[in-house]
Amino acid sequence: MKITCTINGKTYSNDVETRLLLIHYLREVAQLTGSHVGCETSLCGACTVEVNGKAVKSCTMFAVQADGAKITTIEGLASNGTLHPLQEAFWNEHGLQCGFCTPGMIMASKQILERYPNPTEDEIRHGLAGNVCRCTGYQHIVNALKAAAAGARK
Amino acid sequence: MATTIAGVEKEKLVGKRLRRREDPRLITGTATYVDDIHLEDMQYAAIVRSPHAAARILSIEIAAAQNSPGVIAVFTGKDTEKVGGVPCGASLPGLRVPHHNVLAVGRVYFVGHPVAVVVAKDRYMAQDAADLVEVNYEPLPAVADPEKALAPGAAPVHPEWPDNVAFTFHQDGGDVDKAFAEADVVVKQRITSQRLIPMAMETRGVVAEWHGADRQLNLYTSTQIPHLVRTLVATMLGLDENRVRVITPEVGGGFGSKLNVYAEEALMGWIAQKIQKPVKWIETRRENFLCTIHGRGHVDYYELAAKRDGTILGIKLKIIQDVGAYHQLLTPAIPTLSVLMMPGIYKTQNIRADIVGAFTNCMPTDAYRGAGRPEATHGIERMVDILADELQIDPAEIRLKNFVANDQFPFHTATGLMYDSGNYAAPLKKALDLVDYGKLRQEQADARKQGKWIGIGISTYGEICAIGPSPATPAGGWESATVKIEPSGKVTIMTGACPHGQGEETTFAQIAADELGISVDDVLVVRGDTSIVQYGIGTFGSRGTAIGGTAVYFALQDLKEKIKKFGAVLLESDDVTFSGGNVVCNKTGQSKSLPEVAASAYRAMKLPPNTEPGLVSTRFWEPPNFTFPFGTHIVVSEIDGQTGEVKIRRYVAVDDCGNRINPLIIDGQVHGGIAQGIGQALWEQAVYDDNGQLLSGELTDYAVPRAHMMPWIESEHTTTPSPVNPLGVKGVGEAGTIGCSPAVVNSVVDALSPLGVRHIDMPLTPEKIWHILSKGA
Amino acid sequence: MVPQKFEYAAPDSLKSVLQLLDAGAKPLAGGMSLIPMMKLRLAAPEQLVDLQKVKELSYIRESGNAIHIGAMTTHYEVETFPVLLRKCPLLAETAAEIGDLQVRNRGTIGGSVAHADPSADYPAALQALEAKLVLIGAQKERTVSAAEFFVDAFTTVLEPGEIVREVIVPAEELGTGTRYEKVVQPASGFAIVGVAVRVRRSAGKISFVRVGITGLSNHSYRATSAEATLAGTTGAAADVQNAAALVAEGIDANSDLHASANYRKHLASVHAARAITTAISRAS
């Protein structure tokens, strides 16, 4: 089935199997391997990307369902070599260790800050409920979101 | 060429909260993990696994799979019989080691046991075909519980050893019988450390590429130990070790689960040879739960003998270790670490330990964060609380009474260790101050009057880190480093450590930058490629910085000497110092920068006497001892009296890991370790039913901590340098996990102590607590 | 894990959807349950009809004293839609408890109720709200109550070819207090037990009460004996306890790795009491 979508501002048009998961389309067809696969039950969040402005788990969506969609992945966050404030914040606050969950974590965080520009710790923690990190214990991730939010308020 | 001002000491980087140098690729999604590798004409493997915990394989029908679209090969155990067995690196007297085929032959021993492998053009086709492989099994009785496995009449896991005993181990220290005879009080408790699933975010994965003309195998694998994988996989496949190249790209977490050599690593190498094409296998999460090693799996029987004043006289411990169906790389060694650690940080000199390793029809257990030490720490820290309760002594006081004193270091333990340095009371006192212990106990008393269940739990842990001296390890306990100062003066470090989140690309650069007086940005740390890195042991056992970092340090000392020699030639002086990145003539004050000196060392126009060109040094550093970090964790928990739910109200961690190179990274290690400790204490458990089916076989049923489940951690430290290495560092990767679980459980038992509760096994599920509350009420 | 092959269509009209369903296709709404099941190969529909482009299934409309919610309305929309927050806060509060941010962005109310997971959140609220579900197939449209709709675990009255078209909930009368209380299964995020309560008071007495329960047994239900016990009382602590004690009465509770049947029943009572107490405090 032929699909056309925009990923990180670039148009992609491909013939895909209907069963191809969006995450595999992004990783293997569009060759954007920043989003990761960490489970098959839609519980780890490593594959989180933005589809039409909404953070979604790209392992729980078929590529054909993204026909016509505007998609942003972790690779599309930095612009012209300038990191997105959340990327900076994750870096500054040591919000990652092995880095595997990080792309999904940052994409979910982006949505959290869009909805809660001035988030409480509780809003951050519950907002991240769909993303597992096995390394950080989350505290530095919470700090990263706080820092990014504070930066945006300046 | 400009010469910088001589003698200006640049600001030290060691001790700074530097943000990590590995992060730019990770936060932009441009890092390469195994599944991100794409090779021309690469095929995908899917593995058919046993749904039974124990069964005879009567037949395997592969024709339908072979004819499935895109399939190029299907293999079964008959095809791979000549591949060497999955290795066990640990040895104990009398150890029973079943032959562990890469694909099952004739019989399966656990759910998930690989039976056949399908290779196809893409992962979808491979999965389709795998579903078409028909295996006829004759199910056999299984046993999934280690104590049941050891009971008479249990189903034998391996028919050749009907008692299911995989090994036994005994250790005596001091005079334990005398200690118990002289005791005023003996407390006993059965304490379990449940089976856990390490659950690294990145599952395992392998890409194998065969260059037939050169008989060269390239193996990309997500591992903590690339060189050991190379040595062992080469042996399994009968290849020349120097023609196997193991490349470890980015590794998405390990926690011990990738400190191993797995069937799939050899299997993919073998398949690449057979099909003459590259092949990729990426473990599913389901497979990861079933077929990557599990952790813990202890049933411990403790006895603690003490005087009425709380002085601990002796400890007896019997460990029943759930081995699983096979020994993986270090399986039988793990509980021996528990024995080494069993006295904790207390000075008792009388111990007796017995281990029985029990085969079960389950996935093998092996090293999971802490590996043997969390079990021991959990045991001793629980027992000390039980003793305190028995004697009605405050748990902080009884600990202070029994600590090894500051003037006793180096301290020889009853288990044969020599604790390097310590000030055990310091973190305890600091933590008690942080929580305002006296006031807290008063608040607890008040809360109890209001019917609230508040508990305070103390854990004063010690651990064995920097594993370890070679005689104490199965494969060498040193670590290597090559430091190369390039002609431009840039510094490349090739480390045998294999960090996968621990941040050594930053901490090693901090060490090098300080030693050479250069910017951290001038240093590149390379790891994880056996054709680039000399040889190495890897990253596990909190050894990366304490051993790998020390190897870097010594290589740098060699180079500093050589830099001075080349600098002296350039400056035509016989009296120079190297400081702030410059070689300075002590007489004239003239100086040459590191790039100038480096260029001259490679240009080699004029060599110092008895000196070779170039600026490269390789060191294999053998540590003289382990290191022994320690600390105190205090947990304040509150139990919902109606539901039994445990809420951690406060978590204070005071850790002493010796000198601190990057406190930001250390905090991260502590937090992450604590998350895994809390996970074990409250939620995580790998549950097999009586038939050996893994009930908690997916993230839907195995609860790892999420952001909203974690408390805020108040992290503090004391600093007691280690004399074992010149950096004075001890290691911190496992501290959080080791210190945590007893603090949580002690707090909950403390909360419930008015009901006469003395012990609760992990995980402290609300239902378990509710049962206790209901009985008590 | 990856799904098996299937045919896929994503028409933009309900009519086309219904024709495909009539021909045997399986509907795909948000896919939050179906797609993982397909990946694990626990489900393998041969033909999927995707509802995501059917605009006529995505709306929240107030009409008289009812609010109509199109089946393809996402949990996030339910959670945040102003009319619902004002006039049916119980449903919004329940939606906010579902899964996680990403799941709520994509999961739909129609898909969730049609899947009828016994541990899903919505059913408790829909029972308490005495919601109506409009079901539509190629041949007919019919309306059933939530009480009729949920039959068993993963089983509803939906017939082959039929989908949920919309969910109708009441616009609450002024002064109604509501609450959804949930015990979260820590691994999956589903409800071990969920209790939804609506309460109105009049002249110091509980004049109206509805209690919906999910997670406890194979399907959600209204705890009518608890309701009857509470109604007419002043809603004092003892009244609440007496009522809450009855929510699991006669129920064949589920038992699994995370909670035994007895514990589930106990949790249902405890959280019913808490939910009722909060709902009363919110009633004016």
Side-chain angles (χ1 to χ4, degrees), chain C residues 106-127:
Chain C
R106 199 151 170 82
T108 65
I109 190 167
S112 173
V113 298
H115 184 57
D117 190 311
S119 305
D121 294 289
Y122 275 136
L126 297 185
Q127 295 282 2

Side-chain angles (χ1 to χ4, degrees), chain A residues 23 26-27 31-36 46 73-75 99-100 102-104, chain B residues 26 28-31 33 36:
Chain A
I23 182 65
L26 294 171
R27 290 177 48 80
Q31 294 180 28
L32 295 165
T33 56
S35 312
H36 298 142
T73 69
I74 187 70
E75 290 94 338
F100 195 80
T102 309
Chain B
L26 298 169
T28 52
T30 52
Y33 297 85
D36 302 338

Side-chain angles (χ1 to χ4, degrees), chain A residues 19 21 24 27-28 38 40 43 87-88 91-92 94 97-100 125 129 134-136 138-139 143, chain B residues 19-20 27 33 35-36 123-124 128 197-198 285-286 668 671-672 676 684 698 705-707 712-713:
Chain A
R19 63 171 168 168
L21 296 166
H24 289 141
R27 290 177 48 80
E28 285 164 18
E40 46 268 355
L43 284 165
Q87 291 172 314
E88 275 288 343
W91 189 7
N92 290 336
H94 188 29
Q97 290 176 27
C98 83
F100 195 80
R125 288 182 183 272
R134 193 62 159 158
C135 293
T136 63
Y138 303 100
Q139 193 149 312
N143 287 348
Chain B
R19 64 181 188 172
R20 296 197 316 174
I27 55 178
Y33 297 85
D35 198 14
D36 302 338
R123 66 178 94 220
Y124 287 67
D128 290 346
I197 292 172
R285 181 57 68 192
R286 175 78 178 157
H671 296 163
Q676 287 177 7
E684 296 183 33
E698 267 290 0
R706 291 168 186 268
W712 186 261
I713 297 158

